[in-house]
Amino acid sequence: MTDETPASRETPASRLRTLLPDLAPWRTSADFRRLWVAGLVTSFGSFLTFVALPVQMKELTGSTAAVGAIGAAELIPLIVFGLYGGALADALDKRKLIVSTEAGQGVLCAALLVNAALPHPAVWPLYVVAALSAALSAVQRPAMDALTPRIVAHEHLTAAAALNSLRWTVGGVAGPALAGVVVAYAGLGWAYAVDLVTFAVSVVMIARIAASPASHEAAKPSLRSIAEGARYAWSRKELLGTYAIDLAAMFFAMPLAVLPFLADDLHAAWSLGLMYAALPAGALVVSLTSGWTSRIHRHGLMVVVAAACWGLAMVGAGLVHNVWLVLFFLALAGSCDMVSGVFRAAIWNQTIPDELRGRLAGIELLSYSVGPQLGQVRSGGMAALTTVRTSVWAGGALCVAAVGLLAMGLPKLMTYDERTNEHARRMRAARAGARTPTQAQAQAQESPVTAV
C-alpha cells in the first residue's frame, strides 16, 4: 500500500473548487442574497445612466468642459453626505434608509427620462440630478456597508467581501457594454427607462430584508457624532492605514483621465474601450477565483502588497510600447486593486463596532471614491506638464513610494492578523456566543470600545 497524504489525494477538480468564490454567505443568509441580487440589478441600470448622462451632455453642449463639470457637481455632495450618511446609518434603521435612497434614485432617473422626452431637453437638470444622485449614493453606501456584518456570520465576512466585489466587477464589465448598445441603438430615453425599472426591482427586493434598527448606543446624527467616528478611526492605526493606502494608490496611479491620449500615443484608437474594460476585467478574474481569500489571515499585509503591485503595474503600463502589453498591465492593476479591496473590507467588517459602523463606512466611502476623482486631476495635470506616458509610469512609481512610506509609518497595519487582533477577537467572540446575527450584534454592543 502507498502512504497517501491528504495533499497527494487532491484532484484538479478539488483544487479548482478551492479557487472558486466561497458561497457560504449566499447559502447561510437569505438577506445577503437579496441585497446582493438587488445590488447587481441596480448596477446594470446605473451604468446605463452613467453612460447616457455624459453622452446627452455632449449632444446638448458639444463641450468637453461641460461634460467634465459633471464630476465637479458630484464631488462636494459626495464628501458632505458621505460623512453625514455614515451618521444616519448608525442612528436609523439601515434597511429603511437603503430603501428610501434607492427610491429617491428612481425619482431622479424619472426626472432624466422626462427631460429627455422634451422637444428641447435642458442642460441644468443633468447637473442637478448628478449632484443629488451623488448625495443619495453617499447616504446609502454607509448603510449598506453597515448592514453586511449584521446579516452575515463573522467567519463569512471575508467571503462576503469577495462576493460583493464579484457583483461590482460583473457590473463594471458587462454594464458599460450593455449601456453602449442601448444608448447607440435605442436612445437615451430607453437607457433612463430601463434604469428606472431596475430601481423599482431593487426597492422590492431590499424591502424584504429583515429590519435593521439602530443600536441602543448609537448617537444621533450630528457634527459631534461624526467627529466621534473620526476620532475612533484615528485611534485605530490599522484602519487609518487602510484609508491612507487606498487614497495614495488612487491619487498617484489612477490613469483613467489620460487613457484616450494613451491610446492615441500607441496609434491604437481602437483599443480605448479595451483599456477602460481592462481594469474591471482584471478585478473580475480575482473575484471569480476568490476562494483563497478566506484562508488568508494577514489582511493588512495583503492590503499593502496589493497596493504596491497596483503601482508597479501602472509603471509597466506607462513604459511599454505594445498595446497588448499595456492592456495586460492595466488588467493586472485591476486584479491588484481588487485584492486590496477585499482585504480592506474584511478588516472593516471584522473589527468595527456596530454602533460606529455607519460613520466609519462614511469615512471609507471618502477613501475609495474621492481618491480616484483627485487622481484624475493628478494624471491629467502631470500629463499636461510632461507627457502621457510619464504621467502613467511616474504616477505608479509615486504610488509605490507612498505605499512604502505609509507601511513603515503604520506598523499596526502590516502586523494585522484577524486571528489575534483584539478588536477582531472581541467581535468574533461576541457573535460566536449568540444564536443569531441580531443577538450577536446585541452582545457586541455590550463590549467596551477600546483604541489600539
Side-chain angles (χ1 to χ4, degrees):
M1 293 180 61
T2 59
D3 185 17
E4 290 186 339
T5 64
S8 67
R9 290 195 297 268
E10 282 189 353
T11 65
S14 65
R15 287 193 292 268
L16 177 61
R17 283 193 294 272
T18 64
L19 290 176
L20 294 177
D22 184 354
L23 299 180
W26 257 73
R27 293 193 299 267
T28 58
S29 175
D31 282 344
F32 179 78
R33 290 196 299 271
R34 295 186 184 104
L35 189 66
W36 194 93
V37 174
L40 181 64
V41 170
T42 299
S43 70
F44 275 93
S46 296
F47 272 110
L48 287 168
T49 297
F50 177 78
V51 173
L53 192 64
V55 168
Q56 186 176 23
M57 182 68 75
K58 173 179 175 292
E59 292 180 354
L60 294 176
T61 67
S63 168
T64 56
V67 175
I70 295 175
E74 296 171 336
L75 183 59
I76 293 178
L78 189 65
I79 295 173
V80 173
F81 287 93
L83 293 172
Y84 189 66
L88 287 176
D90 284 334
L92 303 177
D93 185 297
K94 295 166 182 57
R95 182 197 62 180
K96 291 181 179 178
L97 188 58
I98 296 170
V99 169
S100 299
T101 51
E102 196 79 352
Q105 293 280 23
V107 171
L108 294 178
C109 193
L112 289 175
L113 177 59
V114 171
N115 183 60
L118 295 175
H120 301 286
V123 170
W124 65 265
L126 305 187
Y127 290 117
V128 172
V129 168
L132 292 177
S133 179
L136 288 175
S137 296
V139 170
Q140 183 189 81
R141 185 61 182 264
M144 295 187 71
D145 288 347
L147 180 61
T148 299
R150 287 191 168 191
I151 61 178
V152 175
H154 185 87
E155 63 271 19
H156 297 154
L157 287 173
T158 302
L163 289 174
N164 284 335
S165 299
L166 174 61
R167 180 192 68 199
W168 178 85
T169 52
V170 168
V173 173
L178 175 64
V181 173
V182 172
V183 170
Y185 294 99
L188 296 166
W190 276 101
Y192 296 139
V194 174
D195 193 12
L196 178 58
V197 171
T198 64
F199 280 122
V201 172
S202 179
V203 166
V204 171
M205 295 193 70
I206 297 174
R208 297 179 60 197
I209 294 175
S212 184
S215 305
H216 69 274
E217 296 178 359
K220 294 182 179 180
S222 65
L223 291 177
R224 181 177 180 180
S225 69
I226 294 173
E228 180 186 0
R231 285 194 298 271
Y232 177 79
W234 181 261
S235 72
R236 292 276 311 279
K237 300 309 180 187
E238 67 271 41
L239 288 182
L240 188 64
T242 64
Y243 308 145
I245 290 287
D246 191 45
L247 273 171
M250 294 299 102
F251 175 74
F252 287 115
M254 175 57 78
L256 294 183
V258 298
L259 289 185
F261 304 96
L262 181 60
D264 288 343
D265 188 74
L266 293 167
H267 306 289
W270 55 268
S271 68
L272 179 59
L274 294 177
M275 288 184 182
Y276 280 120
L279 290 169
L284 180 60
V285 171
V286 172
S287 298
L288 291 174
T289 58
S290 60
W292 61 274
T293 60
S294 296
R295 298 186 292 277
I296 300 296
H297 305 289
R298 296 284 301 279
H299 297 165
L301 177 62
M302 292 300 296
V303 169
V304 172
V305 171
C309 290
W310 155 274
L312 289 174
M314 289 304 174
V315 172
L319 290 177
V320 299
H321 294 270
N322 182 284
V323 65
W324 295 108
L325 286 177
V326 170
L327 292 172
F328 166 77
F329 280 116
L330 290 176
L332 179 61
S335 66
C336 295
D337 184 46
M338 180 53 63
V339 171
S340 175
V342 166
F343 289 108
R344 290 197 314 272
I347 293 174
W348 300 335
N349 290 336
Q350 289 175 345
T351 66
I352 297 175
D354 184 67
E355 66 272 14
L356 288 166
R357 189 67 189 88
R359 279 166 285 175
L360 271 292
I363 297 174
E364 294 156 18
L365 174 68
L366 297 184
S367 74
Y368 57 69
S369 60
V370 174
Q373 292 191 329
L374 294 177
Q376 305 311 306
V377 178
R378 194 284 314 165
S379 62
M382 184 175 285
L385 293 173
T386 57
T387 66
V388 172
R389 287 181 177 279
T390 300
S391 175
V392 177
W393 72 256
L398 289 170
C399 167
V400 174
V403 168
L405 290 173
L406 287 170
M408 289 189 292
L410 296 166
K412 286 189 178 294
L413 176 64
M414 289 291 289
T415 59
Y416 175 89
D417 189 318
E418 58 97 12
R419 297 167 298 185
T420 57
N421 179 268
E422 63 174 294
H423 301 280
R425 291 196 306 181
R426 182 182 301 118
M427 293 294 291
R428 181 166 54 249
R431 299 191 69 176
R435 289 174 296 176
T436 67
T438 301
Q439 290 172 322
Q441 291 296 334
Q443 290 191 17
Q445 294 163 15
E446 297 173 1
S447 301
V449 178
T450 59
V452 174

